Amino acid sequence: MATWQDRLDRDEVLVIDGATGTELERRGVPMNLASWSGLAVHTHPEVVREVHAAYIDAGAEVIVTNTFGTTRFVLETAGVGDEFEAINRRAVRLAMEARDASGRDVAIAGSISNLPPDMDPGNYPAPDEELQGLRELAALLADCGVDVIALEMLQDTRHAARAMDAALETGLPVWLGVSCRRRPDGQGLVSFDLPNVDFAKPLDALIPMGPAVVNIMHSEIAAVPEAIGMVRDRWSGPLGVYPEIGEFEPPNWRKDVDVAPDDFALHARDWVRLGARLVGGCCGTTPEHIAALDAAFHAPGA
Ligand SMILES: [Zn+2]
């Protein structure tokens, strides 16, 4: 049985990778306002492969493809819509090359998000076209041989439900990734980019659709314990946490907020105590953060 499923079945901690986009940026790859890190597989394939390899070396048992912003409708606004298939196939291939070179049993998760064209929610295509675009990406990732679909930064009930539908149609296990932060007044949680959406709303809409895993990802570390409680009220299956550290200033990441790898691992121990079994990092985290998780959960005697 695959390592990732085996770990979860045995109620062990599964370590997943850290940030891909911000790690590419840290290694000098320019980010793009239309598709964020999506073009890196085209312009800097060797760096993408190197980032995946660095996470595997650090101990990640799952790596996530650099396909967060590569639906056809997003790539079209970046001027490379006709490269849709080539870009996504290459993204999966780079992850597979890193895995194969490592000789380790690492699962590959195909990332899909609700990123709107030019990062502007006013630019979503019509609902039918949006669903079609999400289906096209999900089917292509499945055809390329990813092990799971990792939905990332789902935050609402409409766009997110379309992504869930598209992912579930592949028949692959679907990891539902939801994002939150504290409400500005400190009372309760809201969706990460949607201060008017109570975090309970996407949970209530999406969890009943049938994911294999629910991940609290790209969320504020300070919001994670309460978020775990909210997911646990609605979900008894596998739960993961891979939060962000820092602040986004489109299309770049500001690292003026930082959490040292050892401190990150201390937080992760709390998440595991609260019931999380998948742990990793999102934007702002590095292979050093993942190495600290590996040491915390998988070192002999850990
Ligand atoms: Zn992130």
Side-chain angles (χ1 to χ4, degrees):
M1 179 178 283
T3 298
W4 78 269
Q5 186 67 62
D6 199 32
R7 282 243 188 255
L8 297 182
D9 288 350
R10 290 191 303 211
D11 203 30
E12 295 175 354
V13 175
L14 176 74
V15 173
I16 62 181
D17 67 3
T20 304
T22 62
E23 185 61 12
L24 289 168
E25 184 184 342
R26 198 170 72 103
R27 292 174 189 232
V29 178
M31 297 291 106
N32 177 280
L33 252 182
S35 94
W36 187 46
S37 66
L39 304 188
V41 300
H42 228 31
T43 59
H44 298 75
E46 68 292 340
V47 188
V48 176
R49 193 190 301 109
E50 174 188 300
V51 166
H52 290 314
Y55 282 120
I56 295 171
D57 282 350
E61 298 167 295
V62 181
I63 54 174
V64 183
T65 59
N66 187 52
T67 53
F68 182 88
T70 57
T71 54
R72 185 184 295 274
F73 57 76
V74 166
L75 292 180
E76 275 169 356
T77 55
V80 291
D82 54 352
E83 305 272 8
F84 164 78
E85 182 163 344
I87 284 174
N88 284 292
R89 284 198 182 277
R90 183 181 279 189
V92 178
R93 197 163 60 238
L94 291 168
M96 288 181 165
E97 286 170 3
R99 177 194 60 191
D100 294 347
S102 77
R104 291 173 47 190
D105 179 14
V106 171
I108 295 178
S111 170
I112 298 179
S113 78
N114 281 137
L115 186 75
D118 292 325
M119 302 189 195
D120 178 352
N123 283 350
Y124 277 115
D128 281 358
E129 190 195 334
E130 184 190 1
L131 177 59
Q132 189 45 42
L134 292 163
R135 277 182 172 146
E136 184 185 29
L137 177 55
L140 180 56
L141 293 175
D143 186 58
C144 290
V146 302
D147 300 290
V148 307
I149 300 286
L151 296 175
E152 302 199 286
M153 285 196 82
L154 301 199
Q155 307 186 50
D156 72 347
T157 56
R158 291 175 304 138
H159 302 291
R162 288 175 201 132
M164 276 292 278
D165 278 333
L168 289 164
E169 283 169 14
T170 65
L172 290 172
V174 174
W175 292 7
L176 164 60
V178 287
S179 298
C180 66
R181 63 167 88 224
R182 287 166 302 174
R183 199 185 289 277
D185 64 9
Q187 300 300 305
L189 304 183
V190 290
S191 286
F192 193 85
D193 295 312
L194 304 171
N196 297 319
V197 175
D198 190 304
F199 188 50
K201 287 240 170 65
L203 298 182
D204 286 336
L206 304 173
I207 288 176
M209 295 179 76
V213 167
V214 179
N215 286 318
I216 298 156
M217 52 80 56
H218 196 97
S219 297
E220 252 184 1
I221 283 181
V224 167
E226 188 171 351
I228 291 175
M230 291 178 72
V231 172
R232 270 285 164 255
D233 286 345
R234 297 162 170 84
W235 171 252
S236 58
L239 189 159
V241 177
Y242 59 105
E244 51 84 34
I245 46 180
E247 241 353 287
F248 194 51
E249 213 170 73
N252 297 308
W253 195 251
R254 277 183 14 220
K255 284 226 57 173
D256 46 358
V257 182
D258 206 355
V259 178
D262 286 347
D263 294 332
F264 192 72
L266 284 177
H267 284 294
R269 286 187 187 279
D270 284 338
W271 310 330
V272 168
R273 255 194 302 275
L274 294 170
R277 289 297 178 270
L278 303 86
V279 292
C282 203
C283 299
T285 62
T286 67
E288 289 71 41
H289 292 87
I290 300 311
L293 297 182
D294 181 57
F297 298 109
H298 293 156

